[in-house]
């Protein structure tokens, strides 16, 4: 199932270059969307794939688009990733792991996985990795970019200070751009990853500068009412806001315990 929503363009967008942004509804993709909307006439793609929090993420997508005045929107449902499984995000029989509370570590995440807020993320590729997920997302975004005449596709992939997903590495996007160059009509569409080398706290600071609507975002892997505060996505986000000296505006169920 897919749905394209398009509103009349304004004079402020009609003469700008086009760009497509993949917008999950999370913190990183929200900052990416703010960058795309600032610099281009942006169109946003959201892919639901049977993940645990898909309804909540879709609401965030719509709300972020409204706030950033992104009028052209494509919502797509991918049935393949849930059918394939192999991830705690798409298979209910695989538990979403919680970060383990420990003592603080002076050097941050690497190489031990210890976080300054007093919790650790398991070292290695976690069970929340969805096999080759970003390739599915990028295929949709590049296809739509080709139809719209957009020459950039923004994605909020982050390599450092993240969960260690292999499809968030710079070499992955270098290789993918070669595929796009060879496999599209003009070969001019480029996947851009403006956040990929940034620490999470730097992304928070950039988002605050851009007035990105963090209050509308959702990062939690397992709850849709209040963020759990204990999955690795919540822990990474909480740590980022703390290191940036800012308050995370979304509600948490267990944030106070994890930050004590």
């Amino acid at each position: 199932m897919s749905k394209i929503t398009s509103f009349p363009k304004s004079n402020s967008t009609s003469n700008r270059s086009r760009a497509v942004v993949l917008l999950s509804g999370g913190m990183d993709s929200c900052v990416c969307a703010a960058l795309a909307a600032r610099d281009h006439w942006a169109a946003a793609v959201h892919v639901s794939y049977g993940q645990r929090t898909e309804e909540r993420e879709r609401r965030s997508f719509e709300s972020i688009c409204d706030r950033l005045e992104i009028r052209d929107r494509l919502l797509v449902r991918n049935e393949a990733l849930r059918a394939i499984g192999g991830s705690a995000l798409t298979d209910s029989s695989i538990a979403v792991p919680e970060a383990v509370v420990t003592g603080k570590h002076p050097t941050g995440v690497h190489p031990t996985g210890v976080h300054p807020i007093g919790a650790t993320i398991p070292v290695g590729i976690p069970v929340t990795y969805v096999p080759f997920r970003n390739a599915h997302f990028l295929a949709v975004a590049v296809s739509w970019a080709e139809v719209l005449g957009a020459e950039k596709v923004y994605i909020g992939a982050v390599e450092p200070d993240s969960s260690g997903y292999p499809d968030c590495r710079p070499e992955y996007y270098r290789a993918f751009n070669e595929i796009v160059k060879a496999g599209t009509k003009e070969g001019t569409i480029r996947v851009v990853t403006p956040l990929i080398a940034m620490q999470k706290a730097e992304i928070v600071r950039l988002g605050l500068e851009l007035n990105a609507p963090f209050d509308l975002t959702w990062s939690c892997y397992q709850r849709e009412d209040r963020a759990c505060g204990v999955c690795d996505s919540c822990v990474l986000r909480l740590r980022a806001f703390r290191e940036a000296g800012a308050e995370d505006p979304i509600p948490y169920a267990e944030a106070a315990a994890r930050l004590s």
Side-chain angles (χ1 to χ4, degrees):
M1 181 185 71
S2 63
K3 176 185 176 185
I4 297 178
T5 304
S6 183
F7 301 94
K9 63 186 179 184
S10 66
N11 291 333
S12 63
T13 60
S14 59
N15 296 320
R16 305 174 75 188
S17 61
R18 298 233 64 179
V20 171
V21 58
L22 277 159
L23 177 54
S24 68
M27 181 182 88
D28 302 331
S29 70
C30 176
V31 174
C32 238
L35 284 169
R38 181 193 68 181
D39 296 337
H40 304 278
W41 174 12
V45 180
H46 179 80
V47 183
S48 292
Y49 55 97
Q51 72 272 35
R52 291 172 184 260
T53 57
E54 65 176 330
E55 293 292 337
R56 184 63 184 82
E57 289 179 31
R58 186 163 54 246
R59 292 203 307 272
S60 287
F61 166 79
E62 294 282 14
S63 298
I64 293 166
C65 285
D66 287 344
R67 183 79 63 84
L68 295 177
E69 299 183 342
I70 297 176
R71 299 172 179 271
D72 295 330
R73 308 169 193 180
L74 174 62
L75 291 97
V76 174
R77 182 165 183 82
N78 179 308
E79 301 288 353
L81 291 172
R82 185 172 181 86
I84 291 166
S87 168
L89 300 192
T90 56
D91 186 341
S92 60
S93 70
I94 303 174
V96 174
E98 295 184 357
V100 180
V101 178
T102 66
K104 295 183 180 181
H105 190 278
T107 60
V109 174
H110 301 294
T112 63
V114 180
H115 290 263
I117 66 168
T120 63
I121 303 299
V123 176
I125 298 172
V127 295
T128 50
Y129 166 64
V130 180
F132 213 48
R133 178 184 65 180
N134 286 350
H136 293 250
F137 294 177
L138 288 166
V140 173
V142 170
S143 294
W144 199 31
E146 193 163 28
V147 171
L148 294 176
E151 293 194 352
K152 286 185 179 180
V153 171
Y154 282 73
I155 183 170
V158 179
E159 183 183 36
D161 204 10
S162 66
S163 297
Y165 298 152
D167 56 357
C168 288
R169 296 179 296 194
E171 54 267 36
Y172 176 89
Y173 294 95
R174 286 194 292 269
F176 204 94
N177 272 321
E178 291 302 312
I179 294 172
V180 174
K181 183 178 179 180
T184 53
K185 286 189 295 185
E186 302 296 331
T188 56
I189 299 169
R190 185 165 57 95
V191 177
V192 295
T193 55
L195 311 181
I196 200 160
M198 298 177 70
Q199 300 289 331
K200 287 282 190 181
E202 294 176 312
I203 294 169
V204 171
R205 294 186 191 104
L206 175 60
L208 294 173
E209 291 173 10
L210 295 168
N211 201 26
F214 285 132
D215 59 306
L216 304 177
T217 61
W218 198 254
S219 302
C220 184
Y221 283 155
Q222 58 186 345
R223 290 183 58 157
E224 296 187 297
D225 53 348
R226 297 170 67 86
C228 71
V230 297
C231 70
D232 62 351
S233 184
C234 282
V235 168
L236 287 165
R237 177 178 172 136
L238 285 164
R239 182 172 73 99
F241 273 90
R242 178 166 177 170
E243 289 185 349
E247 182 178 352
D248 191 342
I250 71 168
Y252 285 88
E254 298 188 42
R258 293 282 151 165
L259 289 168
S260 60

